[in-house]
């Protein structure tokens, strides 16, 4: 009988990004070490929780748009994070119950909670893959059981490319993932930026990188725009994710946050 894969250990001695993100979003799946770091960063960057919420709201608007207006039925969400409100499968299956969603993350805590992510519609499919963004071939191979790669896929990379510091490596990962998707597929990215307030953005990264895992890189607006090279960027381009087609709520104009985002289409005939 093949040996069972051992459960990866949840390390509570160092702050983990998935857990601290959960803390800023108001969740309870985190440890004292995460909360301590979360508060340390919040002390000089009080709007950090607004950034996290703006990123999630961007996820809701972009995923809804792709399912409802672009007819996308397949979503590959890498760096999915811990389950929270409005998870990708809930958002897209509300618009299209037959949508198929594959989540990917490499954090053991996310793996431990993956069951919560797997409660999609009967008509659609919701799967979880325990894998690393740095190994696109393993991700594509595992996702192939649920997604049909001859049909368009929305590749969702929200708040995760910032954990790959080397620009050439990021380009290679994007090329390998997008290369496996047909024309008419979409790329959605959100990414922390130093565009609005460079000093404080680098202070956040430095504080996080002292102890936190994985290490964080912030990029300029131009650096984030470059992630979409070779694709057709949708209006309004790469902007603060709070300003990407914001809903008109009557509660005043959306406030820019230091997390930029964009959506682009892979060109070519379908
Ligand atoms: C900032 S959270 C974003 C979660 C979610 N995408 C969102 O926008 O709310 C980043 C997630 O990426 C995951 N992550 C970081 N590096 C990764 C890697 N190399 N491979 C897979 N997941 C990774 C972390 O574990 C964490 O859950």
């Amino acid at each position: 009988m093949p040996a069972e894969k051992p459960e990866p250990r949840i390390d509570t001695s160092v702050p983990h990004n998935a857990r601290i993100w959960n803390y800023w979003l108001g969740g309870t799946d985190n440890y004292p070490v995460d909360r301590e770091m979360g508060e340390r960063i919040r002390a000089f960057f009080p709007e950090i929780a607004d950034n996290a919420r703006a990123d999630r709201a961007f996820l809701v608007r972009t995923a809804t748009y792709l399912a409802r207006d672009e007819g996308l039925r397949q979503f590959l969400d890498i760096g999915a994070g811990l389950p929270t409100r409005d998870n990708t499968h809930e958002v897209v299956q509300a618009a299209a119950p037959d949508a198929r969603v594959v989540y990917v993350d490499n954090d053991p805590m996310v793996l431990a909670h993956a069951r919560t992510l797997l409660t999609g519609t009967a008509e659609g499919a919701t799967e979880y893959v325990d894998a690393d963004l740095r190994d696109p071939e393993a991700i594509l191979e595992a996702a192939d059981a649920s997604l049909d790669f001859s049909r368009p896929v929305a590749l969702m990379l929200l708040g995760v490319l910032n954990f790959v510091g080397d620009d050439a490596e990021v380009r290679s990962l994007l090329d390998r993932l997008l290369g496996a998707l047909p024309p008419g597929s979409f790329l959605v990215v959100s990414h922390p930026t130093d565009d609005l307030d460079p000093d404080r953005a680098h202070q956040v990264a430095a504080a996080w990188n002292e102890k936190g895992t994985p290490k964080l890189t912030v990029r300029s607006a131009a650096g984030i725009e470059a992630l979409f090279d070779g694709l057709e960027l949708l209006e309004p381009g790469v902007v603060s994710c709070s300003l990407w087609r914001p809903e008109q709520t009557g509660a005043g104009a959306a406030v820019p946050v230091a997390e930029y985002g964009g959506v682009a289409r892979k060109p070519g005939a379908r």
Side-chain angles (χ1 to χ4, degrees):
M1 209 165 77
E4 292 236 331
K5 203 174 158 189
E7 281 292 312
R9 205 171 73 81
I10 293 172
D11 184 351
T12 59
S13 68
V14 289
H16 269 232
N17 176 264
R19 303 186 319 229
I20 203 164
W21 194 246
N22 169 271
Y23 177 60
W24 285 326
L25 286 170
T28 53
D29 299 319
N30 44 70
Y31 295 94
V33 71
D34 307 309
R35 298 192 278 276
E36 195 183 302
M37 176 62 87
E39 285 312 318
R40 206 178 131 200
I41 291 177
R42 205 204 299 262
F44 59 85
F45 198 81
E47 62 272 42
I48 189 73
D50 295 336
N51 283 20
R53 282 192 291 270
D55 168 272
R56 294 299 304 183
F58 171 76
L59 182 155
V60 173
R61 293 197 305 285
T62 55
T64 302
Y65 167 76
L66 292 176
R68 190 189 56 203
D69 300 337
E70 295 284 353
L72 266 278
R73 292 295 177 268
Q74 307 194 95
F75 293 78
L76 179 57
D77 182 349
I78 306 179
L82 281 157
T84 175
R85 273 184 56 198
D86 294 332
N87 299 299
T88 305
H89 73 285
E90 293 162 338
V91 172
V92 300
Q93 290 174 353
D98 58 335
R100 307 175 76 80
V101 178
V102 174
Y103 289 112
V104 179
D105 207 290
N106 69 347
D107 190 288
M109 184 93 166
V110 182
L111 176 63
H113 285 260
R115 243 174 284 113
T116 321
L117 289 172
L118 302 179
T119 53
T121 55
E123 305 93 303
T126 313
E127 302 296 340
Y128 182 81
V129 174
D130 176 29
D132 198 298
L133 170 65
R134 291 191 157 92
D135 191 355
E137 288 71 28
I139 291 176
L140 292 165
E141 192 183 328
D144 187 55
S146 311
L147 303 180
D148 173 358
F149 285 113
S150 68
R151 297 178 51 227
V153 174
L155 174 61
M156 315 277 295
L157 294 168
L158 277 75
V160 67
L161 291 173
N162 37 282
F163 295 114
V164 183
D166 182 71
D167 288 346
E169 187 181 6
V170 171
R171 188 68 263 157
S172 161
L173 297 174
L174 284 170
D175 289 346
R176 283 143 74 198
L177 288 165
L178 289 165
L181 309 183
S185 293
F186 283 82
L187 172 66
V188 184
V189 170
S190 67
H191 195 299
T193 185
D194 58 7
D195 202 47
L196 298 178
D197 188 342
D199 289 348
R200 284 201 314 144
H202 289 288
Q203 237 183 315
V204 169
W208 173 259
N209 289 339
E210 243 178 62
K211 283 195 196 157
T213 185
K215 300 299 173 206
L216 174 71
T217 297
V218 292
R219 290 190 163 90
S220 63
I224 299 170
E225 260 166 33
L227 303 173
F228 295 97
D229 281 357
L231 304 176
E232 298 166 352
L233 200 52
L234 270 52
E235 287 299 323
V238 170
V239 292
S240 159
C241 57
S242 55
L243 302 181
W244 195 93
R245 305 186 185 186
E247 273 167 17
Q248 306 302 326
T249 62
V255 175
V257 295
E259 182 89 13
Y260 280 8
V263 179
R265 181 181 181 277
K266 181 169 176 173
R270 266 161 93 156

